[in-house]
């Protein structure tokens, strides 16, 4: 089998840029598009679906839809992983799925934001809700068809710790760049709104342009990587449920996944809330959303070389635990932002703001960039470590199921996070719900850090003993 060259590593990583850009559009703007703040409505945002907690008295429509989408996404992960692990195509087990999922994924991402009916009528708003629900479910199914085989391929085409860390850094870098481009949405649609005379149309055009870029990037690894040159594995014969059960028998993997769920719970609540934190809590103009998120992206990239260097000395576990601590502090700080709005205004390219507002926003973003970089690189490599150890132990190649099991669990966490945020955000007045959501995110991250303390990194990186192999087989 060939070793993965640096050039091929980066060509592979371009695919992550593509799907990360689409994921960033859904993750960053879906909720704020369909559950707009007063500031967004004043800027011309239309209301398409019923607002408030209208489902069972505690769920918003968009909260229920996103939660359902994540649950559906989580359920389909093991299914796609199992189909991919068993695939006998001449092109390999992973590339065929990526090839056929890319185009419909890009199209569906745009359609999510294209609710077609007149929302002024009650029937129209509920028909829009059905549209959003169906397109969101389609989006999550298609992104699973691309991402689950893609992440499994990452584990299989890297054959050493050096190759794995380089590939992990590369796909983390392209993931951050992809989501960072998605963060530029407000700046782009803000420039296009005067041209089209309609904020919603400007948003849709912006997302369509981003989707074309994403599609081209997702096709790069499909045509640049010949899977069979790097992978020599026998398709799995294990049924989906048996494979999933075998995956969760790995104790270290169970601990990692337990910690990972709480990370995604906290992070999803925080990322969903950033547009609200910036405008409603800190009181900054909408244009600052893009500036801050892009700044976080750039700073995260600056930390990448140092993270790899330090990790080689202290290990992945200690680095990720430290990132949990940092995120907990950032989220808790955000819950108490909002002071200093009455100072002297300073004119910036993004609008007028006081020095106090700028300091709060910068602290939130700058201090969050380092843990963001750590979580961008290391968890993916930790899953690959667990999958490789399990292959040595059982003799069966089930990388797809390991990555699917991880995403199955954290997507359930994301579903709960969307329900929590959209419900908490509507509690009280004057931004109280946003503060409550930020503090909840801090508590969840703290719990995740405590759980990870029980992860046995030393065992995962070692070779199993003959006795352990015999028992496992």
């Amino acid at each position: 089998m060939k070793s993965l060259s640096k050039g091929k590593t980066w060509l592979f990583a371009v695919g992550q840029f593509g799907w990360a850009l689409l994921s960033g559009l859904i993750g960053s703007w879906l909720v704020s598009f369909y559950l707009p703040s007063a500031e967004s409505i004043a800027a011309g945002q239309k209301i398409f679906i019923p607002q408030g907690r209208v489902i069972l008295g505690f769920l918003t429509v968009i909260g229920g839809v996103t939660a359902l989408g994540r649950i559906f996404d989580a359920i389909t992960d093991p299914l796609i992983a199992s189909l991919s692990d068993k695939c006998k195509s001449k092109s390999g087990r992973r590339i065929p799925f990526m090839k056929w999922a890319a185009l419909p994924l890009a199209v569906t991402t745009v359609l999510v934001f294209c609710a077609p009916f007149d929302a002024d009528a009650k029937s129209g708003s509920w028909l829009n809700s059905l549209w959003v629900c169906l397109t969101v479910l389609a989006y999550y199914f298609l992104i699973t068809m691309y991402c689950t085989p893609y992440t499994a391929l990452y584990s299989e085409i890297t054959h050493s710790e050096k190759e794995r860390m380089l590939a992990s850094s590369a796909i983390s870098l392209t993931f951050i760049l992809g989501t960072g481009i998605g963060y530029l949405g407000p700046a782009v649609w803000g420039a296009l709104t005067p041209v089209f005379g309609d904020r919603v149309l400007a948003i849709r055009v912006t997302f369509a342009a981003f989707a074309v870029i994403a599609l081209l990037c997702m096709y790069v690894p499909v045509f640049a990587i010949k899977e069979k040159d790097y992978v020599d594995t026998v398709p799995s014969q294990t049924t989906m449920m048996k494979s999933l059960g075998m995956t969760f028998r790995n104790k270290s993997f169970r601990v990692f996944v337990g910690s990972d769920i709480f990370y995604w719970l906290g992070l999803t609540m925080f990322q969903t809330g950033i547009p609200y934190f910036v405008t409603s809590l800190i009181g900054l103009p909408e244009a600052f959303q893009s500036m801050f998120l892009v700044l976080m992206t750039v700073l995260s990239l600056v930390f990448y070389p140092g993270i790899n260097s330090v990790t080689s000395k202290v290990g992945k576990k200690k680095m990720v635990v430290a990132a949990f601590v940092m995120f907990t502090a950032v989220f808790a700080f955000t819950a108490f932002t909002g002071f200093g709005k009455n100072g002297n205004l300073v004119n910036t390219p993004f609008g007028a703001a006081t020095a106090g507002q700028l300091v709060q926003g910068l602290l939130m973003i700058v201090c969050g960039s380092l843990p963001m970089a750590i979580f961008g690189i290391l968890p993916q490599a930790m899953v690959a470590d667990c999958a490789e150890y399990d292959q040595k132990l059982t003799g069966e190649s089930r990388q797809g199921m390991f990555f699917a099991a991880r995403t199955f669990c954290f997507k359930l966490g994301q579903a709960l996070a969307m329900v929590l945020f959209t419900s908490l955000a509507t509690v009280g007045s004057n931004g109280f719900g946003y503060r409550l959501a930020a503090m909840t995110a801090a508590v969840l991250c703290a719990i995740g850090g405590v759980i990870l303390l029980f992860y046995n990194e030393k065992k995962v990186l070692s070779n199993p003993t003959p006795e352990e192999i015999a028992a496992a087989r």
Side-chain angles (χ1 to χ4, degrees):
M1 290 293 99
K2 291 183 180 179
S3 296
L4 194 66
S5 67
K6 289 184 179 179
K8 291 291 185 179
T9 298
W10 286 104
L11 288 173
F12 174 74
V14 170
Q16 180 112 339
F17 176 93
W19 75 257
L21 175 52
L22 298 179
S23 176
L25 298 182
I26 297 294
S28 298
W29 309 119
L30 176 61
V31 172
S32 60
F33 185 85
Y34 285 112
L35 188 67
S37 64
E39 292 80 6
S40 295
I41 295 172
Q45 180 63 39
K46 298 175 184 177
I47 296 176
F48 289 96
I49 62 176
Q51 305 291 289
R53 298 189 296 274
V54 297
I55 302 177
L56 303 177
F58 69 94
L59 279 177
T60 62
V61 171
I62 193 61
V65 167
T66 51
L68 177 63
R70 281 298 183 184
I71 292 171
F72 176 74
D73 188 19
I75 292 172
T76 55
D77 270 325
L79 172 62
I80 298 300
S82 180
L83 292 174
S84 180
D85 282 344
K86 294 178 180 179
C87 182
K88 299 178 181 179
S89 169
K90 293 180 180 179
S91 301
R93 298 193 296 173
R94 318 301 182 186
I95 292 294
F97 285 84
M98 295 160 57
K99 179 180 179 180
W100 293 110
L103 177 58
L105 171 59
V107 172
T108 302
T109 303
V110 179
L111 292 179
V112 168
F113 296 92
C114 294
F117 299 104
D118 182 2
D120 293 334
K122 184 176 180 180
S123 59
S125 65
W126 283 105
L127 286 172
N128 283 337
S129 300
L130 179 61
W131 172 278
V132 176
C133 182
L134 293 177
T135 53
V136 164
L137 291 178
Y139 160 81
Y140 279 121
F141 177 75
L142 290 166
I143 201 167
T144 296
M145 278 194 67
Y146 189 93
C147 292
T148 298
Y150 180 90
T151 52
L153 186 59
Y154 149 76
S155 177
E156 292 172 335
I157 63 178
T158 53
H159 306 302
S160 67
E161 181 69 11
K162 182 178 179 180
E163 287 182 7
R164 183 165 296 144
M165 286 303 296
L166 174 60
S168 182
S169 298
I171 61 178
S172 178
L173 172 63
T174 51
F175 177 84
I176 288 181
L177 289 175
T179 53
I181 295 298
Y183 292 153
L184 290 173
V188 178
W189 76 61
L192 292 178
T193 298
V195 177
F196 293 107
D198 186 304
R199 173 188 167 97
V200 172
L201 178 58
I203 291 174
R204 289 169 176 169
V205 171
T206 299
F207 291 170
F210 284 168
V212 171
I213 297 171
L215 175 62
L216 295 175
C217 291
M218 286 191 291
Y219 276 140
V220 170
V222 169
F223 295 106
I225 303 291
K226 292 184 178 180
E227 184 178 335
K228 293 281 183 132
D229 288 348
Y230 303 94
V231 181
D232 183 19
T233 55
V234 178
S236 174
Q237 301 300 317
T238 306
T239 64
M240 181 188 74
M241 295 307 298
K242 183 178 180 181
S243 179
L244 187 62
M246 291 172 64
T247 299
F248 278 109
R249 288 176 194 165
N250 188 310
K251 181 179 178 181
S252 294
F253 181 70
R254 291 200 305 271
V255 172
F256 169 82
V257 166
S259 170
D260 204 43
I261 290 174
F262 282 94
Y263 160 66
W264 285 103
L265 268 168
L267 181 68
T268 302
M269 290 186 67
F270 184 75
Q271 286 185 323
T272 304
I274 284 178
Y276 304 94
F277 301 150
V278 172
T279 57
S280 299
L281 290 189
I282 301 176
L284 290 165
E286 185 181 52
F288 274 93
Q289 297 174 22
S290 294
M291 188 276 282
F292 282 151
L293 291 169
V294 171
L295 177 61
M296 177 184 280
T297 300
V298 172
L299 288 175
S300 294
L301 300 181
V302 171
F303 289 122
Y304 268 43
I307 290 171
N308 285 331
S309 177
V310 176
T311 300
S312 65
K313 298 177 181 177
V314 304
K316 303 181 189 76
K317 174 182 174 179
K318 290 182 180 178
M319 291 291 287
V320 176
V321 169
F324 268 118
V325 173
M326 288 183 276
F327 259 150
T328 300
V330 171
F331 298 169
F333 167 77
T334 301
F336 295 98
T337 55
F339 53 86
K341 295 180 181 179
N342 298 321
N344 294 325
L345 290 175
V346 177
N347 289 319
T348 76
F350 307 97
T354 68
Q357 290 173 313
L358 291 173
V359 168
Q360 290 169 76
L362 289 171
L363 279 174
M364 179 179 71
I365 297 304
V366 172
C367 294
S369 61
L370 176 57
M372 183 71 75
I374 293 173
F375 276 109
I377 299 174
L378 300 184
Q380 193 93 303
M382 293 170 76
V383 177
D385 290 340
C386 290
E388 183 178 7
Y389 178 83
D390 192 80
Q391 184 176 358
K392 295 176 182 177
L393 191 66
T394 65
E396 187 168 354
S397 174
R398 293 179 291 106
Q399 285 87 347
M401 189 57 74
F402 266 89
F403 283 95
R406 183 218 178 183
T407 53
F408 172 79
C409 292
F410 83 61
K411 286 173 183 177
L412 289 179
Q414 287 179 320
L416 178 57
M418 298 304 292
V419 171
L420 283 173
F421 179 84
T422 54
S423 298
L424 291 174
T426 59
V427 173
S429 58
N430 298 320
F432 176 78
Y434 303 143
R435 300 185 191 280
L436 187 59
M439 185 53 70
T440 302
V443 172
L444 292 169
C445 261
I447 294 173
V450 172
I451 293 174
L452 192 63
L453 293 174
F454 297 93
Y455 176 74
N456 192 341
E457 185 174 41
K458 183 177 180 180
K459 182 178 182 65
V460 169
L461 295 178
S462 66
N463 290 316
T465 64
E467 292 77 16
E468 290 173 328
I469 293 174
R473 300 184 184 183

